[in-house]
């Protein structure tokens, strides 16, 4: 049969209390001795003045007085013994000590008082029966009193501690994690309080992470642009983890490299850095797409072998890299530099941060698929169906808030001749060059698109007819300055014909606005090409 330490304490608790009780006995011995000698001296000095015959019956008064004196100081003795002698003892051991002391100390004090009475000078007549009755009554009363007080201080302390724990649990049930339990006890109750506080802080961390994950789902679901998703991802990781630098990189499968997209420090010199397999932290992630962590020494050795890694961070510190996985396929990575790894491990954030990284991978993949639907694959501009929907939505807002919207259409002059003479590859290169020229003169709020073939269209929100004319002339001049390579050592120059119309001056709805711009485009071609025509009602 295996006997645990807990069982030994339960069965033989008094054996663990010998040192404790010896301290208590020495304290009570000197205290009672001093008090008894003082009272005896007073009685001795007053004996002759009260009764010259020397027959003074003081045993009742003296015994009861000494017992009541002991009863007055016994609670303080017990309380001192319980809370001072062994503060780190287990709660059960304290209860055993206190019960033992409360049961035995009154009897020992009574025996000590009886001994003192028996050895008092003979001038005080002591009746044996009277002394015995006084002793029995005093010991009984003192024992009852001490046991009651011992139970009271023990239960009061327990109730107070339980009330603290209950209050803490009540606050946690209301999701208030900032009220910790402060317990002065260093026993099991103190351990429970400490464990409860640690559990509360862990719950606070996990609830915060879950809330962040929920917020990300809600916010990311409305994002379809890669840039916005990455920007918000940086903020999400910053809210969950304290790190010196947070870097997000995306995996480019075509070139086989990780490309840095954004860092929390907004350092322009790091954006666009590309890492191959085995190069720096991101290179290690390419080779082993899983949660990775490095100590300061390990990271320092890695950084010494990569100039790009030293540009990202470079200083010896704890580093964690989290893969962004979509259906088990690597899509990118999040790097946390200068991390408090001990706190990170204590809060057990690895699974949650991995979940967040995978969420980001899902939304980035959705954004990529959405771009494939709304963007022309050759030029990267919006497709016509998206432009139509965007124009309808924008005109609905323009009607409500009273602002102008201009619509520009153009095509490449004599594009078919270039296709026929140099081939479709040359034509495709030309269309890509024209799309770059469009982006060069467009604002972020503008929506450039490819209507089809060599025809293009641009929505210019909050732009009146004069502003649209300035834009169209810049675009025409930019394209006319292009020199596109269409063959080995052969470069071609092209021009465009542009037509534009403006809401609400030229049309009242989307379909009419497109028709007006198209009419202006045909007028520009009829005018001799390489020019801009503003729609005018016939």
């Amino acid at each position: 049969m295996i006997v645990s330490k807990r069982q030994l304490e339960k069965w033989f608790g008094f054996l663990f209390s010998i040192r404790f009780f010896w301290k208590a006995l020495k304290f009570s011995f000197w205290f009672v001795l001093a008090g008894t000698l003082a009272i005896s001296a007073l009685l001795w000095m007053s004996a002759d003045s009260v009764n010259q015959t020397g027959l003074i019956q003081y045993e009742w008064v003296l015994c009861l007085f000494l017992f009541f004196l002991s009863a007055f100081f016994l609670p303080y003795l017990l309380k001192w013994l319980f809370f001072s002698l062994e503060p780190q003892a287990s709660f059960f051991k304290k209860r055993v000590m206190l019960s033992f002391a409360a049961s035995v100390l009154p009897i020992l004090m009574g025996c000590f008082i009886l001994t003192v009475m028996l050895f008092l000078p003979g001038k005080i007549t002591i009746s044996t029966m009277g002394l015995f009755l006084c002793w029995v009554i005093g010991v009984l009363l003192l024992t009852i009193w001490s046991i009651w007080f011992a139970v009271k201080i023990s239960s009061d302390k327990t109730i107070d501690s339980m009330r603290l724990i209950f209050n803490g649990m009540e606050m946690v049930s209301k999701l208030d994690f900032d009220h910790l339990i402060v317990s002065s006890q260093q026993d099991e109750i103190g351990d429970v309080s400490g464990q409860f506080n640690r559990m509360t802080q862990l719950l606070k961390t996990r609830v915060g992470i879950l809330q962040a994950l929920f917020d990300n789902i809600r916010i990311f679901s409305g994002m379809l642009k890669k840039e916005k998703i990455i920007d918000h991802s940086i903020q999400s990781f910053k809210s969950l983890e304290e790190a010196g630098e947070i870097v997000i990189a995306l995996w480019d499968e075509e070139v086989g490299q990780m490309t840095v997209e954004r860092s929390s420090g907004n350092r322009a010199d790091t954006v666009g850095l590309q890492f191959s397999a085995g190069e720096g932290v991101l290179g290690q992630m390419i080779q082993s797409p899983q949660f990775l962590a490095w100590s300061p020494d390990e990271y320092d050795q890695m950084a010494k072998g990569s100039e790009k890694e030293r540009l990202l961070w470079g200083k010896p510190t704890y580093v964690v890299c989290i893969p962004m996985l979509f259906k088990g396929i690597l899509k990118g990575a999040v790097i946390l530099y200068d991390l408090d790894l001990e706190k990170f491990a204590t809060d057990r954030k690895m699974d949650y941060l991995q979940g967040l990284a995978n969420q980001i991978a899902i939304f980035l993949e959705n954004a990529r698929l959405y771009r494939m639907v709304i963007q022309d694959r050759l030029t990267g501009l919006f497709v016509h169906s998206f432009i139509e929907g965007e124009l309808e939505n924008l005109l609905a807002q323009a009607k409500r808030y009273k602002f102008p919207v201009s619509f520009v259409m153009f095509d490449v002059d004599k594009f078919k001749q270039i296709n026929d003479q140099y081939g479709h590859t040359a034509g495709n290169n030309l269309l890509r060059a024209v799309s770059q020229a469009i982006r060069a003169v467009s604002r972020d709020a503008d929506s450039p698109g490819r209507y089809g073939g060599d025809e293009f269209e641009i929505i210019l929100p909050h732009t009146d007819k004069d502003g649209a004319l300035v834009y169209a002339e810049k675009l025409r001049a930019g394209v006319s300055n292009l020199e596109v390579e269409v063959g080995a050592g052969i470069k071609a120059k092209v021009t465009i014909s542009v037509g534009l119309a403006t809401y609400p001056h030229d049309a009242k709805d989307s379909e009419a606005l497109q028709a007006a711009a198209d009419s202006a485009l045909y007028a520009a071609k009829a005018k001799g090409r390489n020019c801009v025509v503003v729609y005018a009602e016939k």
Side-chain angles (χ1 to χ4, degrees):
M1 177 180 177
I2 300 175
V3 180
S4 66
K5 181 180 179 182
R6 178 68 66 186
Q7 289 174 318
L8 287 174
E9 286 189 356
K10 186 175 180 180
W11 295 344
F12 306 106
F14 66 93
L15 294 177
F16 299 102
S17 307
I18 295 176
R19 183 168 59 89
F20 162 86
F21 185 71
W22 176 244
K23 293 180 181 179
L25 186 62
K26 289 193 295 183
F27 177 85
S28 58
F29 173 80
W30 292 112
F31 178 78
V32 174
L33 178 61
T36 302
L37 291 177
I39 297 300
S40 300
L42 291 174
L43 292 173
W44 175 263
M45 293 171 63
S46 62
D48 289 336
S49 61
V50 176
N51 189 337
Q52 294 297 325
T53 62
L55 300 175
I56 303 174
Q57 301 297 325
Y58 274 133
E59 63 271 13
W60 281 88
V61 177
L62 181 59
C63 284
L64 290 177
F65 183 81
L66 291 175
F67 276 118
F68 280 121
L69 184 66
S70 300
F72 177 77
F73 287 103
L74 184 60
Y76 296 99
L77 174 63
L78 291 174
K79 196 169 183 179
W80 177 76
L81 292 173
F82 187 55
F83 297 118
S84 300
L85 290 184
E86 291 197 19
Q88 295 183 350
S90 68
F91 185 74
F92 176 78
K93 184 176 179 182
K94 287 181 180 179
R95 292 287 294 268
V96 171
M97 292 177 179
L98 190 62
S99 301
F100 186 60
S103 302
V104 177
L105 278 179
I107 299 176
L108 293 177
M109 287 184 178
C111 292
F112 187 76
I113 292 170
L114 178 63
T115 303
V116 171
M117 294 296 297
L118 290 175
F119 285 95
L120 280 175
K123 287 189 176 184
I124 299 179
T125 303
I126 300 176
S127 168
T128 304
M129 183 58 68
L131 179 61
F132 179 73
L133 290 175
C134 289
W135 183 82
V136 171
I137 295 172
V139 168
L140 182 62
L141 292 175
L142 195 60
T143 303
I144 294 173
W145 165 248
S146 63
I147 291 176
W148 177 84
F149 188 80
V151 172
K152 182 178 183 302
I153 61 174
S154 176
S155 60
D156 286 350
K157 196 67 177 177
T158 304
I159 291 172
D160 290 343
S161 299
M162 291 298 103
R163 186 179 291 110
L164 284 174
I165 295 176
F166 175 79
N167 291 338
M169 295 174 67
E170 186 177 19
M171 299 305 292
V172 170
S173 68
K174 298 177 181 178
L175 298 182
D176 184 350
F177 302 107
D178 295 324
H179 292 79
L180 302 179
I181 298 175
V182 181
S183 176
S184 60
Q185 293 186 242
Q186 302 178 25
D187 48 26
E188 290 91 342
I189 293 179
D191 292 340
V192 169
S193 300
Q195 290 292 341
F196 183 84
N197 290 336
R198 285 187 285 274
M199 179 194 72
T200 299
Q201 292 304 303
L202 185 58
L203 282 175
K204 180 180 179 181
T205 300
R206 293 193 173 188
V207 168
I209 292 174
L210 290 175
Q211 184 64 45
L213 294 178
F214 174 78
D215 291 341
N216 287 330
I217 293 174
R218 177 175 54 82
I219 296 173
F220 280 137
S221 61
M223 291 184 180
L224 292 172
K225 289 188 176 181
K226 180 185 73 173
E227 294 75 14
K228 288 187 176 181
I229 294 174
I230 291 174
D231 287 347
H232 185 71
S233 300
I234 289 284
Q235 298 304 317
S236 298
F237 276 99
K238 286 177 67 176
S239 67
L240 293 176
E241 191 60 47
E242 296 179 2
E245 186 81 65
I246 299 174
V247 174
I248 290 184
L250 297 183
W251 166 246
D252 190 336
E253 190 173 0
E254 292 183 1
V255 299
Q257 290 182 325
M258 280 277 198
T259 303
V260 175
E261 296 288 334
R262 174 81 189 278
S263 65
S264 59
N266 292 320
R267 292 184 293 147
D269 58 337
T270 62
V271 176
L273 287 177
Q274 293 184 322
F275 291 81
S276 302
E279 185 180 9
V281 171
L282 293 173
Q284 297 296 320
M285 177 57 63
I286 295 173
Q287 292 181 332
S288 180
Q290 59 185 331
F291 193 97
L292 301 175
W294 292 270
S295 68
D297 291 339
E298 292 171 336
Y299 175 71
D300 187 43
Q301 291 297 321
M302 182 193 306
K304 288 179 180 178
S306 172
E307 183 179 349
K308 295 178 184 178
E309 184 61 45
R310 291 195 299 273
L311 187 61
L312 269 184
W313 185 257
K315 295 172 285 188
T317 185
Y318 285 107
V319 179
V320 164
C321 191
I322 308 165
M324 294 192 293
L325 303 174
F326 176 74
K327 295 182 178 180
I329 300 173
L330 182 66
K331 295 295 180 181
V334 181
I335 312 176
L336 305 177
Y337 290 105
D338 196 18
L339 190 71
D340 186 345
L341 198 60
E342 182 177 351
K343 186 175 184 299
F344 181 87
T346 302
D347 291 343
R348 302 174 186 175
K349 291 182 179 179
M350 185 178 76
D351 292 339
Y352 296 95
L353 294 183
Q354 182 63 71
L356 176 57
N358 292 344
Q359 270 190 351
I360 295 170
I362 292 172
F363 288 112
L364 286 172
E365 183 65 15
N366 290 341
R368 185 185 70 83
L369 295 176
Y370 181 69
R371 287 196 304 273
M372 290 178 62
V373 173
I374 67 172
Q375 288 184 339
D376 176 64
R377 188 171 183 179
L378 176 64
T379 62
L381 303 179
F382 294 117
V383 297
H384 176 63
S385 59
F386 176 82
I387 291 293
E388 281 190 315
E390 190 74 6
L391 185 58
E392 288 182 1
N393 295 333
L394 188 60
L395 290 184
Q397 296 178 27
K399 289 177 182 178
R400 181 176 181 182
Y401 297 108
K402 310 298 181 185
F403 61 82
V405 176
S406 292
F407 189 73
V408 176
M409 293 189 70
F410 73 89
D411 67 5
V412 180
D413 298 329
K414 300 179 180 179
F415 177 73
K416 187 175 184 303
Q417 294 180 8
I418 296 176
N419 253 350
D420 293 341
Q421 184 175 357
Y422 299 106
H424 290 287
T425 301
N428 290 341
N429 292 338
L430 178 61
L431 294 177
R432 291 192 188 97
V434 170
S435 66
Q436 291 175 1
I438 296 174
R439 292 192 186 94
V441 297
S442 299
R443 304 166 300 180
D444 290 340
D446 300 335
S447 299
R450 183 185 180 193
Y451 187 88
D454 64 328
E455 291 186 280
F456 296 84
E457 53 194 348
I458 306 105
I459 302 174
L460 305 175
H462 298 277
T463 306
D464 59 15
K465 195 178 294 287
D466 292 337
L469 181 59
V470 172
Y471 172 87
E473 285 291 350
K474 285 183 178 179
L475 176 59
R476 186 198 61 78
V479 173
S480 63
N481 291 328
L482 291 176
E483 290 187 353
V484 183
E485 186 171 344
V486 292
I490 303 173
K491 292 185 178 181
K493 294 177 68 69
V494 294
T495 60
I496 59 175
S497 300
V498 186
L500 67 89
T502 302
Y503 167 88
H505 185 270
D506 300 324
K508 303 300 181 184
D509 57 44
S510 172
E511 186 176 351
L513 186 63
Q514 292 180 66
D518 189 51
S519 175
L521 168 59
Y522 277 97
K525 295 175 74 69
K527 195 175 178 180
R529 298 185 175 88
N530 191 23
C531 63
V532 177
V533 172
V534 178
Y535 175 77
E537 243 183 289
K538 296 179 181 178

